[in-house]
Amino acid sequence: MKKAKYQLIDVPIEFKVACTIYKLKISEVLQIFIDHVTLYDTICPYYHEGFSEATRTISAFVIARKRKFRESKALLHCRTVAVGCIKGVIELARKEKGKDQVKRKKSMFYVDSLFKIMERTYVPSDVLYLDENTTLQLSKNFSVLCELHNCYPKEYLEHFMGRISLADCHARKGLKITNDNLAMGLFMMIANGFARDSSEKLHLTETELDFYERMEEMRLELYIVRNLTERTDILRDFYLSHYQNMNP
């Protein structure tokens, strides 16, 4: 039953649709998300592009679980050292002086220490399989935050992907309704080039060009539809149809 290990992560259809429309690799989006989750930004009260969206998405998930507080299983044997490391990150994160890039880098001393002393329960490996041929590299920050909150990496990743809905995002934009979805915010940053290789050329097929042209027309046609749910449903069906055409 070796195949089971390649089916650990459930990728929602709306996330697949969004990646298809913006011609993004699922693994690339998830890797950027992983790389921007940090212990430093979990504690830091200030906004930092990409890092805040990724890290606060994790924090929101942890809070929303509504489980009773449980100590980290991975750190039960080394509470004193772990508390000292976390205090070190807190001091760095709350310092008003200094560049955040430098302080985040300094925080890695404490993250490295936590990573070395913790008994890895929820993150036994630094590599996570999306499928038989695709892997994600779990950062020390990401792994430490999994162990601190007694969560599996797939829980964080599935929560992030589950928050992505291009139909809802575009429907809100058309109605000028504020969208406080941090995960969606990060996804749109990535779609616009954030943390990606800017030298990579984008090639569009005739089918894709037709779709994007129709996409612009659809937005104009939807102007008279002022109900958020109705607009979202129309866009969801339209985007899903494109996804199915591109993935027959």
Side-chain angles (χ1 to χ4, degrees), residues 11 54 62 75 142 157 167 187 228 246:
V11 182
V62 172
L75 299 172
F142 194 87
L157 296 174
F187 181 87
L228 177 60
M246 298 302 294

Side-chain angles (χ1 to χ4, degrees), residues 20-21 207-208 211 238-247:
T20 295
I21 288 175
T207 300
E208 288 170 326
F211 167 74
F238 174 56
Y239 293 161
L240 179 60
S241 177
H242 173 67
Y243 170 78
Q244 291 171 335
N245 285 338
M246 298 302 294
N247 300 275

Side-chain angles (χ1 to χ4, degrees), residues 96-152:
E96 291 186 11
K97 294 183 179 180
K99 294 183 178 180
D100 285 290
Q101 187 176 358
V102 174
K103 290 189 287 183
R104 188 179 293 108
K105 189 173 181 180
K106 285 183 177 180
S107 75
M108 284 306 301
F109 169 79
Y110 300 107
V111 174
D112 285 340
S113 297
L114 284 169
F115 188 80
K116 288 175 183 176
I117 64 173
M118 68 185 189
E119 290 183 356
R120 299 171 71 173
T121 304
Y122 293 88
V123 194
S125 172
D126 299 334
V127 176
L128 191 64
Y129 282 88
L130 268 178
D131 55 50
E132 193 168 349
N133 301 307
T134 312
T135 59
L136 300 170
Q137 298 296 318
L138 302 181
S139 68
K140 289 181 179 179
N141 266 298
F142 194 87
S143 297
V144 164
L145 281 168
C146 282
E147 296 292 1
L148 276 175
H149 297 299
N150 298 313
C151 289
Y152 292 101

Side-chain angles (χ1 to χ4, degrees), residues 59-73:
S59 299
F61 168 71
V62 172
I63 293 170
R65 287 188 310 165
K66 295 180 180 178
R67 295 180 186 173
K68 291 182 179 179
F69 173 76
R70 292 183 300 158
E71 280 191 84
S72 167
K73 294 179 182 178

Side-chain angles (χ1 to χ4, degrees), residues 57-228:
T57 293
I58 294 296
S59 299
F61 168 71
V62 172
I63 293 170
R65 287 188 310 165
K66 295 180 180 178
R67 295 180 186 173
K68 291 182 179 179
F69 173 76
R70 292 183 300 158
E71 280 191 84
S72 167
K73 294 179 182 178
L75 299 172
L76 285 175
H77 69 294
C78 54
R79 289 188 186 93
T80 303
V81 178
V83 168
C85 288
I86 293 170
K87 281 184 177 179
V89 178
I90 290 173
E91 288 175 8
L92 282 169
R94 292 184 178 173
K95 271 186 180 178
E96 291 186 11
K97 294 183 179 180
K99 294 183 178 180
D100 285 290
Q101 187 176 358
V102 174
K103 290 189 287 183
R104 188 179 293 108
K105 189 173 181 180
K106 285 183 177 180
S107 75
M108 284 306 301
F109 169 79
Y110 300 107
V111 174
D112 285 340
S113 297
L114 284 169
F115 188 80
K116 288 175 183 176
I117 64 173
M118 68 185 189
E119 290 183 356
R120 299 171 71 173
T121 304
Y122 293 88
V123 194
S125 172
D126 299 334
V127 176
L128 191 64
Y129 282 88
L130 268 178
D131 55 50
E132 193 168 349
N133 301 307
T134 312
T135 59
L136 300 170
Q137 298 296 318
L138 302 181
S139 68
K140 289 181 179 179
N141 266 298
F142 194 87
S143 297
V144 164
L145 281 168
C146 282
E147 296 292 1
L148 276 175
H149 297 299
N150 298 313
C151 289
Y152 292 101
K154 65 170 282 180
E155 293 182 87
Y156 287 167
L157 296 174
E158 288 177 356
H159 173 72
F160 169 69
M161 291 187 289
R163 297 283 293 151
I164 306 303
S165 171
L166 208 55
D168 177 73
C169 178
H170 288 171
R172 287 174 182 274
K173 187 176 181 180
L175 293 173
K176 296 182 180 180
I177 298 175
T178 303
N179 192 348
D180 58 357
N181 184 339
L182 294 170
M184 194 69 224
L186 177 60
F187 181 87
M188 293 309 299
M189 285 181 194
I190 297 170
N192 290 321
F194 177 77
R196 295 170 61 203
D197 181 3
S198 58
S199 65
E200 188 175 337
K201 292 184 179 180
L202 191 64
H203 299 285
L204 299 175
T205 65
E206 286 189 17
T207 300
E208 288 170 326
L209 288 171
D210 290 342
F211 167 74
Y212 295 127
E213 185 177 335
R214 178 65 186 129
M215 191 174 172
E216 291 302 316
E217 293 173 353
M218 177 72 78
R219 290 181 184 178
L220 292 174
E221 291 171 9
L222 282 178
Y223 182 78
I224 59 172
V225 181
R226 310 312 292 170
N227 179 274
L228 177 60

